[in-house]
Amino acid sequence: MKQGYFITGTDTNVGKTWVTLALMTYFKQKKLSVMGMKPVASGCENMNNLWRNADALAIRQYNSLLVDYDLINPYAYERPISPHLAGKANPVNLELVCSHFHTLQTMADVVIVEGAGGWYAPLNDTQTIADLAQVLQLPIILVVSIKLGCINHAQLTFEAIENAKLSCVGWIAVCNDETFDCIASTVDSLRERLSTPLLGVLPYLDEANFDYLAAKIHF
């Protein structure tokens, strides 16, 4: 049976890509083939006259099959700003994203789709990440950066997912602030307030080690 997950976060720069890569590694360790997708990426470098995003390149590297870059990241924008602003000349078309997703589904047991920014991040003039999640209809995993303010952000995002009648199968805590000294109590507070399972706590690391991080995930 084909599986898939949509990765969203409480904000931008909360650790969605690390969670995506850790999950890809987790499923590979379960002997499943995996394909990752980052449909929309703002903040790209010019490589041989083509815009390429570092996170999307990392996801492509971890895929079970090597595919064309454009299949996993059809919308790569130069400026590191909201996609609806960065993509004025080439706005996001959700039908194209869905077409690419369905192609990837034929290639692997599990497809993991990473969103951009937070739940209501605008993709074009009328649609947001929430609309992309609605179209894909995948179970959602919420990424929460453990820091001051995250309890409020996590509850608001979880409430928005529930109001959209979508399934949030769990949340993952990412400790990406090495100065924050209330990690355990904050995670406990979130466990009390979010009515979906905690799937893992990813500790702070100076350098990525996705085998190590995958071992911290528990479905």
Side-chain angles (χ1 to χ4, degrees):
M1 181 178 178
K2 297 286 186 181
Q3 291 178 268
Y5 298 95
F6 186 85
I7 310 302
T8 194
T10 49
D11 201 347
T12 192
N13 294 324
V14 296
K16 294 188 300 295
T17 300
W18 275 36
V19 167
T20 297
L21 296 172
L23 283 167
M24 293 174 74
T25 303
Y26 171 89
F27 286 115
K28 284 182 177 181
Q29 292 172 350
K30 302 294 182 184
K31 308 302 181 186
L32 297 172
S33 57
V34 185
M35 298 298 282
M37 182 184 189
K38 187 177 177 69
V40 182
S42 295
C44 297
E45 295 182 19
N46 189 317
M47 298 183 179
N48 298 319
N49 295 318
L50 298 170
W51 293 114
R52 296 292 183 254
N53 175 263
D55 292 342
L57 287 169
I59 290 171
R60 183 173 183 253
Q61 180 182 347
Y62 273 75
N63 280 341
S64 293
L65 295 173
L66 185 64
V67 297
D68 289 342
Y69 177 90
D70 291 341
L71 185 60
I72 64 168
N73 180 211
Y75 294 98
Y77 299 132
E78 175 187 4
R79 299 182 65 193
I81 57 177
S82 179
H84 79 295
L85 299 175
K88 284 292 186 182
N90 179 30
V92 173
N93 182 325
L94 295 188
E95 290 185 5
L96 176 64
V97 173
C98 282
S99 174
H100 286 210
F101 168 73
H102 292 311
T103 298
L104 292 171
Q105 271 192 314
T106 68
M107 300 178 177
D109 300 313
V110 184
V111 180
I112 300 175
V113 181
E114 180 191 337
W119 184 247
Y120 286 129
L123 294 177
N124 52 41
D125 287 342
T126 60
Q127 295 171 309
T128 68
I129 285 292
D131 294 299
L132 174 58
Q134 282 282 10
V135 169
L136 295 177
Q137 286 290 303
L138 291 172
I140 293 166
I141 295 174
L142 173 61
V143 178
V144 181
S145 173
I146 304 302
K147 60 184 179 181
L148 184 64
C150 71
I151 296 173
N152 177 59
H153 296 156
Q155 288 185 97
L156 287 171
T157 305
F158 180 69
E159 180 180 318
I161 294 168
E162 286 204 312
N163 288 342
K165 308 300 183 186
L166 294 169
S167 172
C168 183
V169 296
W171 65 284
I172 293 178
V174 178
C175 305
N176 50 14
D177 181 356
E178 63 178 327
T179 66
F180 190 66
D181 60 1
C182 296
I183 291 172
S185 57
T186 300
V187 170
D188 286 343
S189 296
L190 284 163
R191 292 180 76 168
E192 293 172 359
R193 289 165 172 79
L194 298 178
S195 57
T196 191
L198 173 62
L199 302 179
V201 178
L202 305 192
Y204 179 85
L205 295 177
D206 286 321
E207 295 183 6
N209 182 332
F210 293 111
D211 287 322
Y212 175 75
L213 293 177
K216 302 295 183 181
I217 294 174
H218 307 284
F219 270 90

